[in-house]
């Protein structure tokens, strides 16, 4: 990391950190990942304060850079908290093991990241 622009932490204590749940990782089949923000501690969803998007990247072993797999935009906000849950299911093909990276963006608190190892069965 070049700067402190992107923050991280334990998602169980820090509501901005994206959570990566690898739900299926069988070689030759779609990898299934559930992404969430605020899973343990909910994050507001008002016009003034909300999660605008999160992204998932995958960097296969031996590949020089991460590949952007998915972006999820959250565009509905309200005067009061709406019922939007910041979750998404992402499916993609992977031929190799590698590293998953997730980024989330809060309009007030900035960029947050997390990572997880993808190990194909
Ligand atoms: Fe925030």
């Amino acid at each position: 990391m070049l700067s402190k622009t992107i923050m991280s932490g334990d998602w169980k204590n820090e509501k901005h950190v994206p959570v990566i749940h690898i739900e299926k990782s069988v070689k030759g089949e779609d990898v299934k990942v559930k992404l969430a923000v605020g899973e343990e501690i909910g994050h507001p969803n008002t016009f003034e304060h909300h999660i605008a998007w999160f992204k998932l990247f995958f960097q296969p072993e031996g590949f020089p850079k991460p590949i952007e797999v998915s972006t999820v935009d959250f565009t509905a906000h309200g005067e009061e908290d709406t019922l939007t849950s910041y979750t998404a299911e992402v499916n993609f093909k992977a031929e190799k093991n590698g590293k998953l990276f997730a980024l989330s963006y809060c309009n007030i608190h900035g960029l947050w990241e997390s990572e997880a190892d993808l190990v194909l069965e």
Side-chain angles (χ1 to χ4, degrees), residues 40-56:
E40 192 74 21
I41 306 167
H43 187 283
N45 186 15
T46 63
F47 292 119
E48 296 79 21
H49 184 197
H50 53 264
I51 301 296
W53 51 258
F54 54 49
K55 291 176 179 281
L56 181 69

Side-chain angles (χ1 to χ4, degrees), residues 14-16 43-44 49-51 106-110 112:
E14 170 47 65
K15 65 186 173 208
H16 294 93
H43 187 283
H49 184 197
H50 53 264
I51 301 296
C106 168
N107 69 317
I108 291 181
H109 300 107
W112 296 80

Side-chain angles (χ1 to χ4, degrees), residues 1 29 37 57 60 62 71 78 81 85 88 91 111:
M1 191 185 324
E29 299 179 21
V37 169
F57 298 85
T71 297
D81 264 357
S85 85
N91 300 297
L111 276 172

